[in-house]
Amino acid sequence: MEESFLLDTPERHKAVSHPLRLGILRLLHDQARTNEELATALGVASGKLYFHTKKLLDAGMITLVETRQKGSVTEKLYRASAHRFVQLPGDGIDEPSMLPVLREGLILYQNTFTELGEPRATGGHWFLYHSPENEREFRRQLLALIEEFQARAVPPGDPNARLLAVTLLLHAIEKTP
């Protein structure tokens, strides 16, 4: 599994713009699963997931890791292609509106809070005035910090392990608030 997967094409942006596909990626991060297992975990009909799984597979965001026979049916096991999916600035593509991604992200977190109970959270919202050079350096350092702590992660079965969710939305604002 790769450490990072860049969302650097419109197809990849579109692939993460649906709540079911975000749920699929979340579930496939820790273990390989079949469409049937994904459907059960997400509480939807398995037939509904085939389209979404195909979108993620075509975008390269999940990979087929194994096939196995179960009677006359061939089951396909999928796994996420990376630990995290990121978009870096200046990738040279027309970036789609962030509103669908924000909506789907909020739905995902609402579902996660419902599943896990409301966790303790720390958050903030800051406005920072910087030059484009400083912005690139800020983004680079944030990504390096995330990579450092990803490398120091403990196994999920560790008795001291705590699952942390980090959400980061960093964007330029055309008009000064």
Side-chain angles (χ1 to χ4, degrees):
M1 181 183 293
E2 295 290 322
E3 188 61 34
S4 298
F5 186 96
L6 291 178
L7 302 176
D8 57 356
T9 67
E11 292 77 23
R12 289 177 175 177
H13 281 280
K14 189 171 183 177
V16 295
S17 68
H18 193 281
L20 277 177
R21 292 192 285 263
L22 290 172
I24 291 168
L25 285 172
R26 181 173 50 92
L27 290 170
L28 293 179
H29 178 265
D30 292 328
Q31 71 181 55
R33 297 176 191 240
T34 65
N35 265 328
E36 192 66 38
E37 292 167 335
L38 290 167
T40 300
L42 293 168
V44 298
S46 59
K48 187 174 185 175
L49 280 189
Y50 287 107
F51 171 80
H52 297 290
T53 304
K54 177 89 168 95
K55 283 281 189 195
L56 292 169
L57 190 62
D58 289 346
M61 300 173 88
I62 63 173
T63 56
L64 176 64
V65 294
E66 183 184 341
T67 58
R68 61 185 180 202
Q69 282 301 124
K70 187 176 182 182
S72 63
V73 176
T74 301
E75 290 186 321
K76 297 178 181 179
L77 282 94
Y78 300 98
R79 185 162 179 96
S81 300
H83 288 288
R84 68 186 186 301
F85 299 85
V86 297
Q87 176 185 348
L88 298 177
D91 55 17
I93 64 167
D94 292 332
E95 295 178 13
S97 167
M98 286 299 294
L99 289 177
V101 175
L102 287 172
R103 271 189 217 101
E104 303 311 332
L106 289 172
I107 291 168
L108 174 64
Y109 274 92
Q110 181 180 21
N111 291 342
T112 302
F113 279 20
T114 301
E115 290 172 17
L116 301 177
E118 190 166 335
R120 292 188 315 181
T122 303
H125 189 154
W126 302 270
F127 290 102
L128 307 169
Y129 292 90
H130 283 283
S131 67
E133 295 80 23
N134 283 345
E135 178 186 351
R136 280 191 292 279
E137 178 61 15
F138 184 63
R139 289 174 186 258
R140 187 195 65 71
Q141 287 188 28
L142 282 172
L143 187 57
L145 182 64
I146 291 168
E147 287 173 348
E148 174 189 340
F149 278 86
Q150 180 68 37
R152 292 168 45 185
V154 299
D158 185 308
N160 294 317
R162 287 183 49 165
L163 179 62
L164 301 176
V166 177
T167 304
L168 174 65
L169 175 63
L170 177 64
H171 60 94
I173 298 174
E174 295 303 318
K175 296 181 182 175
T176 305

